[in-house]
Amino acid sequence: MLKIYHSQGARSLRVLWLCEEMGVPYETAEASFFKPSDEFKTVNPLRTVPAMQDGDVSMIESVAMMIYIIAKHGPTDLEVKPSEPGYADYLQYLMFGEAGLAVYGNPLVATRFLAPAEQKENYTAGYLKSAILKRLEFVGQRLNGKPYVAADRFTAADISVAYIATGAKFAGIEDEIPAPVKSYIENLWQRPAYQRAAAVK
Ligand SMILES: N[C@@H](CCC(=O)N[C@@H](CS)C(=O)NCC(=O)O)C(=O)O
């Protein structure tokens, strides 16, 4: 069974949500930032969350875990195939959720909680915040009122992108998410699979 090293509100949410949508069984293990267990440190010497083990396989990138789980436990409509319209959008937004959005949040969160007071509002923090908000505006424009980012259906790309709302809370910018993107994500949050995943401690 998949073992997912999880911390509530971390990117492990993407992996749990995907498993819940697909009905893939998994177990979780605590991945604490402050008191990492020896087991977690062995699986992920970087100590970033999530990590995943599947037998002898260990992984530390949430979107790669999603691709792995889809490939191993699919087929699923959460994936868009190369033959389908929307394939390029699917790939793009699956990656964009992390590489174009969430990754900008890490240094912002670190600055918010760990930087000395006089550095909390520094140039880099301002840059990161505007980089995230600019990219969210881009997502809102691309959605143009549609409920999903690719292929006119709910896919893993939506799971990837929607994580930014959770990350934005830690970064203290959740109130600045553009309204169209906020409603897009709040609509995704109605899904029972999301709610089960979000409730996992
Ligand atoms: N690209 C990685 C990023 C993992 C990551 O940075 N996770 C955050 C929590 S959501 C973390 O562990 N931050 C602490 C750190 O960067 O040291 C992924 O998508 O899994």
Side-chain angles (χ1 to χ4, degrees), residues 7 9-12 14-15 33 40 44 46-51 60-65 98-99 102-103 106-107 109 163 167 170:
S7 178
R11 287 161 171 89
S12 40
R14 285 185 179 132
V15 188
F33 297 108
F40 176 51
N44 184 2
L46 280 180
R47 304 180 192 187
T48 51
V49 183
I60 62 153
E61 278 292 337
S62 60
V63 175
M65 291 173 206
E98 180 60 23
V103 77
N106 280 25
V109 174
Y163 175 73
F170 291 108

Side-chain angles (χ1 to χ4, degrees), residues 1-188:
M1 189 187 301
L2 298 176
K3 187 170 189 177
I4 300 163
Y5 292 81
H6 168 66
S7 178
Q8 206 170 26
R11 287 161 171 89
S12 40
L13 177 59
R14 285 185 179 132
V15 188
L16 270 51
W17 186 359
L18 179 82
C19 287
E20 291 287 349
E21 293 280 358
M22 291 179 68
V24 174
Y26 63 89
E27 60 180 334
T28 57
E30 195 191 358
S32 165
F33 297 108
F34 304 108
K35 283 192 178 174
S37 64
D38 290 342
E39 180 186 326
F40 176 51
K41 285 189 280 188
T42 304
V43 175
N44 184 2
L46 280 180
R47 304 180 192 187
T48 51
V49 183
M52 185 178 84
Q53 271 192 313
D54 182 24
D56 291 343
V57 169
S58 294
M59 299 180 75
I60 62 153
E61 278 292 337
S62 60
V63 175
M65 291 173 206
M66 294 171 74
I67 295 169
Y68 174 94
I69 292 166
I70 288 170
K72 290 269 183 181
H73 296 271
T76 167
D77 277 353
L78 296 174
E79 178 185 32
V80 181
K81 296 285 189 194
S83 56
E84 293 184 76
Y87 174 63
D89 283 339
Y90 169 74
L91 279 186
Q92 175 160 287
Y93 287 100
L94 186 61
M95 298 300 143
F96 187 81
E98 180 60 23
L101 278 172
V103 77
Y104 290 92
N106 280 25
L108 199 51
V109 174
T111 304
R112 182 175 182 216
F113 290 105
L114 302 174
E118 71 280 6
Q119 289 181 36
K120 286 191 191 295
E121 302 292 332
N122 69 13
Y123 174 84
T124 309
Y127 170 81
L128 292 164
K129 183 174 145 181
S130 62
I132 294 172
L133 296 178
K134 182 168 88 173
R135 284 159 177 78
L136 286 174
E137 291 287 353
F138 165 80
V139 172
Q141 283 160 14
R142 289 299 298 261
L143 280 167
N144 196 21
K146 289 186 185 164
Y148 309 115
V149 287
D152 289 328
R153 67 171 188 266
F154 177 71
T155 68
D158 295 298
I159 295 178
S160 178
V161 170
Y163 175 73
I164 192 59
T166 307
K169 278 188 204 152
F170 291 108
I173 57 169
E174 73 267 37
D175 293 339
E176 296 175 62
I177 296 176
V181 179
K182 194 162 187 258
S183 4
Y184 153 70
I185 293 172
E186 283 175 352
N187 182 47
L188 299 177

